[in-house]
Amino acid sequence: MAYSLARPLRGLFTALALSCAVFAQAAPQKVIVDMDIGDDIDDAFALGLLLQSPDIEIVGIATAWGDTALRAQLLERMLRETGHSQIPVARGIATSGNPQPFTQARYARRGQLPAKVDAVDFMLDQIKRQPGQITLLALGPLTNIGAAIERDAAAFGKLKQVAMMGGSVRSGYRKSQYVPARPADKEYNIVSDIAGAQKLFTSGVPIVMMPVDSTQIRLDEVERNALLGHGSAITDALALLYHQWINAYQPWSSNMPSLFDVVPVAWLLDPAVCPTTPLRIVVDNEGFTREQPGKPNAQVCLASDQKRFFEIMMPRLLKD
């Protein structure tokens, strides 16, 4: 009798295990986004891809660097007009002397300023509530992140990981993939707050780093026209923000924007977009991200699969 019950019980346990495995695979990834949306246009495309990805749960969005209140207004408008006003927006530490123009300020000023929620408090509170479950998506200068580590390094250490766009490891900025690579540069997100970057890279938290080596993917005319003429709530918002960015007086304006900040989002959706190599990265006092011998502290993507990137991004952004 015991033997005859064993087989159905084993079958039941196997079915339960398979069900749990399927559920675990289907559970959305929990993400807090820390971003400087409103200057360059890649942040907006990154947010659009996040909003169009049901396999990602946006726990909240923190504004970083410069006029963080105006960035919060931009987010409020974009989230409200695309049906995502339930996502919390937290205001990061404002900084002065931002050398980059807020190119999408006219769009932002027609948003409503959300109730003031401190970004550092919000991050730490959510991490403590959901230890080991949250990915911090770092898409701007690391001021809020450095402050969170300074305030409560133990709580910050309970992150699942930090996935970031930042740094320059073996090659720097380039005008196109057809010109020789420059030597490693001082990348904007890192050099804007060197101390914050140094705190992150010595925090012990798992880091997945996408530097300029792998993130200079340009939005070509065919893809751009398909997106900006699509006519959904998301692509309408992207079209408005893109044209304000193009029309602003700033040095990096181009019909073909570089989608730096979209690459970490695409990696979250499919890690094959940006295969990583374990490296030890040290942020020096000038803001260079130096590759050094020793125990790795980051998984670094040095080259991305651009075909796979667009196969991830385009269908999602074109989905109604």
Side-chain angles (χ1 to χ4, degrees):
M1 184 63 129
Y3 176 77
S4 64
L5 283 172
R7 282 199 296 181
L9 282 173
R10 278 201 299 270
L12 176 61
F13 290 139
T14 301
L16 285 170
L18 288 170
S19 297
C20 289
V22 169
F23 177 78
Q25 289 176 354
Q29 300 183 68
K30 296 176 184 291
V31 171
I32 292 174
V33 188
D34 187 74
M35 67 189 327
D36 57 339
I37 193 167
D39 295 351
D40 206 344
I41 192 60
D42 55 327
D43 304 76
F45 282 93
L47 180 56
L49 183 55
L50 285 165
L51 295 175
Q52 290 289 92
S53 298
D55 32 1
I56 290 180
E57 176 190 337
I58 304 176
V59 175
I61 307 173
T63 59
W65 198 245
D67 191 342
T68 54
L70 191 57
R71 298 194 199 285
Q73 281 183 253
L74 189 158
L75 284 170
E76 187 282 330
R77 179 181 174 187
M78 185 171 176
L79 293 173
R80 172 168 43 84
E81 293 184 353
T82 58
H84 297 280
S85 56
Q86 79 283 0
I87 297 174
V89 174
R91 202 180 309 178
I93 298 166
T95 61
S96 58
N98 181 11
Q100 308 299 346
F102 198 127
T103 65
Q104 296 134 70
R106 287 177 64 83
Y107 179 99
R109 290 189 187 109
R110 293 178 64 185
Q112 300 165 19
L113 185 60
K116 189 170 183 179
V117 176
D118 180 82
V120 176
D121 286 343
F122 177 81
M123 282 184 197
L124 292 172
D125 179 63
Q126 292 299 322
I127 295 166
K128 285 185 277 191
R129 287 172 185 265
Q130 304 177 76
Q133 297 182 52
I134 293 176
T135 294
L136 178 56
L137 191 57
L139 304 180
L142 299 164
T143 304
N144 295 332
I145 292 168
I149 296 168
E150 186 75 22
R151 189 175 301 177
D152 194 339
F156 190 83
K158 296 180 187 300
L159 279 168
K160 178 182 177 182
Q161 62 190 349
V162 174
M164 65 177 294
M165 188 278 129
S168 174
V169 178
R170 295 181 185 173
S171 62
Y173 292 106
R174 58 169 69 180
K175 285 288 187 182
S176 84
Q177 59 186 319
Y178 302 109
V179 300
R182 289 164 46 90
D185 281 312
K186 292 187 281 188
E187 185 272 328
Y188 176 80
N189 286 344
I190 301 294
V191 79
S192 294
D193 194 325
I194 295 169
Q198 289 171 334
K199 288 172 186 169
L200 175 60
F201 278 90
T202 56
S203 69
V205 172
I207 297 169
V208 183
M209 176 187 185
M210 280 134 236
V212 296
D213 310 53
S214 58
T215 54
Q216 295 180 86
I217 299 178
R218 287 170 174 79
L219 187 65
D220 229 333
E221 184 178 11
V222 172
E223 290 79 14
R224 187 173 67 250
N225 288 345
L227 289 173
L228 303 187
H230 180 59
S232 69
I234 287 285
T235 58
D236 282 355
L238 292 176
L240 288 172
L241 292 164
Y242 168 82
H243 286 293
Q244 285 197 10
W245 173 73
I246 279 289
N247 199 44
Y249 179 75
Q250 43 90 10
W252 67 93
S253 177
S254 163
N255 286 333
M256 292 195 305
S258 294
L259 300 175
F260 300 102
D261 288 347
V262 190
V263 176
V265 180
W267 174 84
L268 281 174
L269 298 168
D270 180 1
V273 165
C274 217
T276 60
T277 301
L279 296 176
R280 179 164 188 79
I281 300 295
V282 174
V283 181
D284 71 17
N285 291 330
E286 294 181 66
F288 287 99
T289 43
R290 306 285 190 188
E291 179 183 354
Q292 294 192 354
K295 182 180 178 182
N297 61 350
Q299 294 289 331
V300 183
C301 175
L302 297 168
S304 52
D305 184 335
Q306 296 196 23
K307 180 176 181 292
R308 199 173 190 114
F309 171 86
F310 283 109
E311 287 171 351
I312 292 289
M313 185 187 83
M314 292 300 292
R316 289 178 183 244
L317 286 179
L318 291 173
K319 181 178 63 179
D320 288 325

